[in-house]
Structures are given as C-alpha cells and as structure tokens.
Amino acid sequence: MKIKYIYIKTWGCQMNEYDSSMIKKYLEKTGKYLISTKPEKSDILILNTCSIREKAQEKVFHQLGRWKKLKNKNPNIIIAVGGCVATQEGQEIFKRANYVDIIFGTQTLHKLPKMINEIEKNRRFIIDISFPKLEKFKYFLEPKQTGYTASVSIMEGCNKYCSFCVVPYTRGHEISRPSDDILLEISSLSENGIKEINLLGQNVNAYQGPTFNGKICVFSELLQLVSEIEGIERIRFTTSNPLEFTDDIISVYRDTPKLVSFLHLPVQSGSNRILQLMKRSYTTEEYEEIIKKLLKARPNIQISSDFIVGFPTESEEDFQNTINFIKKINFDMSFSFIYSNRPGTPASKIKDDIDLKEKKRRLYALQDCINKQTMSWSRKMLKSTQSVLVEGVSKKNIMELYGRTENNRIVNFKGSYNMIGKFVKIKIKKVHTYSLQGELI
C-alpha cells in the first residue's frame, strides 16, 4: 500500500486548531497517510477555514487559487475545504472553484477518511456540512501528544446570537460532550505526559454535559472533576460569556488551586449602548461585578478580554467609555479587532458609518492602552517567584530553556534538559516587552 501525504492548513481560533489535530489523528489512524509540511509534495490538501473576519471567503479562494496550480500539474491531488467558511458557503465554494473535491463542515470532519476513499474511487464531488450532534467526538482516539500542554473541546456551538457573530450559524447550537468522555480523554492525555489542560468551547461556562447516570454535569463540576485527575497540574479554559459566569464557577477559583489565576472573559465594548446593539445581554456594571467577585475569591487573578472597535454607530464617546473601562478593570491583555461586517448577521443590517481610517485610529489607541497595562502587570512580576511549566529549549538562546507562567508569560532561564515537562520555581530578574528573564531557584 502506497503511503499518501496530507497537508493541512488551518486558519482561526483554538477550536479550529483542535479540529485540525483531530483530522490529523483520524487520517493517521488509517495507516494510509502521513502529514506533510509541504503542499507541493502532498497528495491531499486540506484547508480548515475561519469566517470570523471580513472577506474570509475571498481569503479562501485566494488560497484555493494557489492550490489550483498544483492540481493542474497533478490532477490526482485531492483538495478538501472544511471549517466555518465551508459550513457557511457550502455549494458556492464548488461553483467558484470546481476543482475542489470535498467540502466538509465543522461537525463532519470525522468522515474525511471515508470521503477521501470515495473520491479516489469515483472522482465525484462530495459535500457534507450537516450537524450530526457531536458525532465526531464518538470516534475517541488515543492521544499521541508530544508536548506538555493540550486542548480538549468540551462543547460546540453557541446560543447567544450576538449581532456581529457567525458562530451559531457555522457551528450550530450549544451542545455539550458527555462528561465521562471528556474525563477519559484528559486521563489519557495525562498518562501521555500532559501537565496542563485547556478546556475549549465557544461558550465553555454554558457547559451542561450528560453523565453516565443520566444526570447533568455543569461547568463548575467539570472543573472540579478535571482537577482530581492525577498528573494534571494546571487547568485553563477558553472562552466564556459574562452572561453565564455564575457564582458556582467563581467559587471554583476559591477552592481549586489547579485552576490558573488568569481568565479570558470577553467584554467586547465598554459602552452599554454598543453592548445592547451587539446583543451581549449584560452591562459593564454587571461585568464589573463579576470581576469584583473573582478578585474576592482569587485576589491575584489577572483578566484578559476581547474588544471590537468601530462597531456601527460607535461614537467617540462610546469609544472613550471603552478606554475608561479598560483602565478601570485594568485588563492584562486583549484580543482586539476592527468590526467586520459578516453577511447574514443582524449587525450587517446596521449602516457601517465609520470609515476605516477612524476604525484603525481607535484600534491603535485601544491596543496602546492595553499594551501599557500588560507591561505594568509584567513589571509587578519583577523579583517575584513564579511556578513555570518548562516546555522546551528557548527559541532565543539554545543554551536556555523556556516555560510559561500561570498568567501566560514566557520565561527564559538557564536550566538542565531533565527539567522539560516539569514545574520549576523561577525568580523573575528582567522584564521584556514579550517575555521575562528568570533564574532557577
């Protein structure tokens, strides 16, 4: 049997990265495929797409145009397009790029091995962008992890229908994996040397997974169960919605040391008027109350967030309210974006009345504000002792190792190779813009 080579290109969020890792495992398990890093030397090209940003579709067709040249040289190459753009556009992709062989959705990636077999036999276009309710997770694959951190998807979809967002349309409604399946996957990862877990979902704090005895496991309970798995020393999760950040989740911060003192909690805007237009269903005052409760439960917690600038009708006053809110909460980091009009969303019907130059000005001003606060938080770490998970040899200096702190800072330090994969205590000696320099204690 001739081994075929597969190239996977991934765009988008951590969920897409997770899906691509699953695709890799599904295909490698057949024994027929190996993963390649060079598209020009591959037999199968897979594009896992994201539709969050503006002109995502055009980005897809530009990439497919480059792959078309490879297929012209070798007609036997199979091209597959998956992810959110595939789910959103479906048959339209094939109409514009009729050399594409397979279009698969966010919930049908487990069918890829069978789809590829069909194409090899019949050379007929295949599309499956259905939503078969977490069927892809039923094909549990023994993890083959090489690092010491891993992400585990606990749920898919979102019911919130924020006015700017396409996720409910591309990943479907919220549906949670059974808690026992998640715990089995994490236990297997732990046995393979994983020390840190990141629980993934479009809205993880809405998790309500069935248990073996017919009950429902909520997110706070899942966090506690994960913390009891031997070998798992750190727990993170991404991402959550303030609307469902309930007191029982906050109490886990008080009672569960393995849950890191760092939280990504998207707020999107510091203006209540804009939040209402975004259909976020909470106010800045309610968000601030959550942070106050978190600080009471975990006084040293640091908060990162998401922000959208230039949302339709956002005034200078609205924007200044966001800047003031950033300073008030003292966010540590953020992901910030210029508003992108996504076809089919309610916000797309609001006139986009802010020109691009002004949007960019606001974005740069917001990022400058956040960057100053990030640096301020980093300076507070100077001379402190940090627990660092050592991940490997430093990318800046092969004579050093690097690891990550609870609050997501990279630390470079001198140490021995046998420390890789372990937690060590590091005293912070220098603070740089994007990293820290430390000394082993």
Side-chain angles (χ1 to χ4, degrees):
M1 180 180 66
K2 182 186 175 183
I3 295 293
K4 295 192 173 182
Y5 290 89
I6 291 183
Y7 175 79
I8 304 174
K9 189 172 188 66
T10 308
W11 292 331
C13 63
Q14 287 176 298
M15 186 67 80
N16 269 27
E17 294 287 350
Y18 181 83
D19 283 351
S20 288
S21 71
M22 291 181 72
I23 290 170
K24 179 175 179 284
K25 290 173 185 176
Y26 291 138
L27 293 169
E28 285 182 333
K29 190 180 181 184
T30 66
K32 295 167 59 177
Y33 309 106
L34 289 176
I35 301 300
S36 168
T37 58
K38 297 179 179 178
E40 66 275 10
K41 294 187 177 180
S42 301
D43 303 287
I44 299 158
L45 306 175
I46 299 173
L47 180 59
N48 191 8
T49 64
C50 173
S51 62
I52 292 296
R53 304 306 301 277
E54 191 175 13
K55 298 181 181 177
Q57 291 88 340
E58 294 311 308
K59 187 179 177 184
V60 168
F61 290 113
H62 289 321
Q63 181 61 57
L64 291 177
R66 289 189 282 271
W67 284 358
K68 182 183 180 181
K69 295 174 183 177
L70 298 177
K71 190 155 185 170
N72 286 340
K73 293 178 183 178
N74 178 9
N76 291 321
I77 285 177
I78 294 172
I79 298 178
V81 182
C84 293
V85 173
T87 303
Q88 196 172 16
E89 295 297 306
Q91 194 88 23
E92 294 301 314
I93 292 174
F94 183 70
K95 286 180 181 178
R96 282 187 61 179
N98 62 5
Y99 47 88
V100 170
D101 300 285
I102 298 169
I103 296 174
F104 63 97
T106 56
Q107 301 296 339
T108 55
L109 49 92
H110 59 287
K111 297 181 181 181
L112 259 181
K114 186 177 179 181
M115 291 180 183
I116 292 171
N117 282 340
E118 282 292 314
I119 292 294
E120 288 173 337
K121 288 178 185 176
N122 303 315
R123 281 285 158 185
R124 268 184 288 176
F125 168 68
I126 296 173
I127 179 170
D128 189 342
I129 52 174
S130 58
F131 290 89
K133 291 192 177 180
L134 295 184
E135 188 177 299
K136 68 182 182 184
F137 293 110
K138 294 178 182 177
Y139 295 77
F140 178 74
L141 299 170
E142 193 69 27
K144 292 181 180 178
Q145 205 74 23
T146 53
Y148 301 97
T149 67
S151 296
V152 173
S153 179
I154 67 169
M155 65 180 298
E156 285 268 355
C158 185
N159 294 346
K160 302 300 172 285
Y161 286 91
C162 300
S163 67
F164 56 84
C165 187
V166 295
V167 167
Y169 311 101
T170 58
R171 287 193 176 266
H173 291 160
E174 291 170 0
I175 183 165
S176 301
R177 291 178 66 189
S179 59
D180 300 294
D181 290 358
I182 295 167
L183 298 171
L184 174 62
E185 183 175 348
I186 296 173
S187 295
S188 297
L189 286 165
S190 176
E191 289 169 6
N192 278 269
I194 293 299
K195 300 286 196 296
E196 179 179 295
I197 288 292
N198 186 16
L199 304 177
L200 295 182
Q202 274 73 38
N203 185 18
V204 289
N205 48 340
Y207 174 83
Q208 294 189 47
T211 66
F212 71 94
N213 58 1
K215 295 183 179 180
I216 293 295
C217 176
V218 297
F219 186 55
S220 58
E221 293 169 334
L222 182 67
L223 287 171
Q224 291 165 339
L225 290 169
V226 172
S227 74
E228 293 168 10
I229 296 175
E230 189 175 351
I232 299 300
E233 300 299 326
R234 258 192 205 164
I235 304 167
R236 303 181 188 273
F237 57 85
T238 311
T239 188
S240 44
N241 190 305
L243 194 62
E244 292 172 308
F245 211 93
T246 48
D247 289 349
D248 59 318
I249 297 172
I250 293 171
S251 69
V252 180
Y253 281 91
R254 185 189 64 231
D255 304 329
T256 311
K258 289 184 180 182
L259 187 57
V260 297
S261 294
F262 187 85
L263 170 66
H264 185 72
L265 188 60
V267 64
Q268 304 300 355
S269 175
S271 162
N272 284 334
R273 188 182 75 84
I274 295 298
L275 287 176
Q276 188 174 18
L277 286 173
M278 289 178 167
K279 295 188 177 178
R280 290 294 285 178
S281 300
Y282 56 80
T283 63
T284 55
E285 290 79 11
E286 287 167 333
Y287 185 99
E288 187 179 356
E289 186 61 28
I290 292 169
I291 302 304
K292 286 178 180 178
K293 290 179 180 179
L294 277 166
L295 286 167
K296 189 174 181 181
R298 187 76 68 89
N300 61 335
I301 196 167
Q302 289 167 241
I303 311 295
S304 71
S305 197
D306 290 348
F307 293 93
I308 295 173
V309 300
F311 191 84
T313 78
E314 181 188 66
S315 66
E316 183 61 27
E317 183 182 357
D318 292 321
F319 177 67
Q320 285 304 319
N321 285 340
T322 296
I323 295 294
N324 293 338
F325 192 68
I326 287 169
K327 293 175 180 178
K328 187 175 186 180
I329 299 297
N330 196 14
F331 290 104
D332 178 18
M333 300 176 183
S334 81
F335 295 102
S336 49
F337 309 95
I338 289 173
Y339 167 74
S340 294
N341 185 324
R342 308 310 301 128
T345 60
S348 67
K349 297 174 183 176
I350 307 173
K351 184 181 178 182
D352 192 352
D353 58 350
I354 306 167
D355 67 49
L356 184 59
K357 185 177 179 181
E358 176 59 20
K359 288 179 181 179
K360 287 182 177 179
R361 183 195 70 78
R362 291 179 188 180
L363 179 67
Y364 299 150
L366 185 147
Q367 289 177 339
D368 182 60
C369 180
I370 289 281
N371 289 340
K372 287 175 181 175
Q373 292 182 185
T374 301
M375 198 62 184
S376 175
W377 277 106
S378 292
R379 288 194 186 103
K380 290 177 184 177
M381 298 174 70
L382 195 62
K383 298 182 181 180
S384 71
T385 299
Q386 299 289 323
S387 176
V388 172
L389 174 56
V390 187
E391 296 186 26
V393 176
S394 171
K395 294 175 175 63
K396 293 186 175 181
N397 183 350
I398 61 170
M399 302 304 291
E400 293 183 333
L401 301 176
Y402 83 96
R404 197 176 296 270
T405 63
E406 272 198 46
N407 62 351
N408 253 349
R409 262 64 169 183
I410 293 290
V411 183
N412 296 293
F413 65 97
K414 290 182 179 179
S416 56
Y417 288 126
N418 64 358
M419 294 176 181
I420 295 174
K422 297 177 181 177
F423 285 90
V424 296
K425 296 293 184 183
I426 300 291
K427 187 169 185 177
I428 306 303
K429 307 294 276 187
K430 289 182 181 178
V431 175
H432 304 295
T433 305
Y434 299 109
S435 65
L436 305 171
Q437 192 72 33
E439 185 178 85
L440 188 69
I441 295 180

